[in-house]
Amino acid sequence: MPEVLKAPLVVEFPFTRSLGPVQSAFLTGLRERVVLGVTTTDGRTLVPPVEYDPVTADDLRDLVEVAPTGTVTTWAWNHAPRRGQPLSTPFAWALVRLDGADTALLHALDAPGPDAVHTGMRVRIRWAEQRTGAITDIACFEPYDGDPAELTGSDGEFADPVAGIVAAARLDYTYSPGRAQTAYINSLADRRTVGERCPSCRKVYVPPRGACPTCGVPTAEQVEVGPRGTVTTFCIVNIKAKNLDIEVPYVYAHIALDGADLALHARIGGIPYDQVRMGLRVEPVWTDGARYPDHYRPTGEPDAGYDAYKELL
Ligand SMILES: [Zn+2]
């Protein structure tokens, strides 16, 4: 059994959100080195502020300034900071109750090591030099040995308030396709397409998933299929995808390879897009060094009859 494949996979996109009045004031305040909380109907001050009281669900709009100094209420040491975290050297994630607030704010605390951090220690905000109206305008917290800092006297009204933010979402995976698809990918390197047959219903799955979704049993028997196949259904693509160097319109089709009981999908080439049809017989076209066919093209055989592929639609 060859080693199961794995590779890094990054899913990344910019997430744009509008802020609403409370978050807008909070982030605009950070830009101006002012920390704002919101007051609840029972007189507590929530920092970071929220738009609705978490207990009563009342609308909350009364903004109030709190100090940039506070007390650590709990913390955890981060031995190995990851990409995009506030500090590149090891630091503490800390909940800090700012002076004047009743709740705590999560942020990074810059300290030489875990021995230098304790619950109850006093800290203050270290402001970022470039501030844009984001939580990262607080670069981090740092140890501070003193009384609550003075307030700026802000009423929470600012010129040019921040109305929205773009938060970069990024997920780093190590993706493993598993035993079955590893075997499938490895055979593609030899330009062979290998599926797996269910021992119960006898269906051949291409690409294989390692188990039959209908019978719920493992599929271990390997079966080579193709290389030719039949177009079972298709669509004409008229929208050019970003980073995809294919002229539109082109045809994307479901193709049942000979011997397979599941259609895979691929691009159809070598034929005008408006002449592609159900039942068209096709074969793979490989480019040098590729790990899967670039596209499929007509073989010139007569079309397959509908009965030959009607169960594969
Ligand atoms: Zn089955």
Side-chain angles (χ1 to χ4, degrees), residues 198-203 205 212-217 219:
C198 172
S200 176
C201 68
R202 309 300 293 163
K203 276 190 175 177
Y205 289 98
C212 175
T214 308
C215 308
V217 296
T219 54

Side-chain angles (χ1 to χ4, degrees), residues 4 177-185 187 194 196 207-211 219 222:
V4 172
R179 175 195 59 77
Q181 291 202 52
T182 291
Y184 172 74
I185 291 167
S187 7
V194 176
E196 288 186 350
R209 308 291 173 28
T219 54
Q222 297 203 331

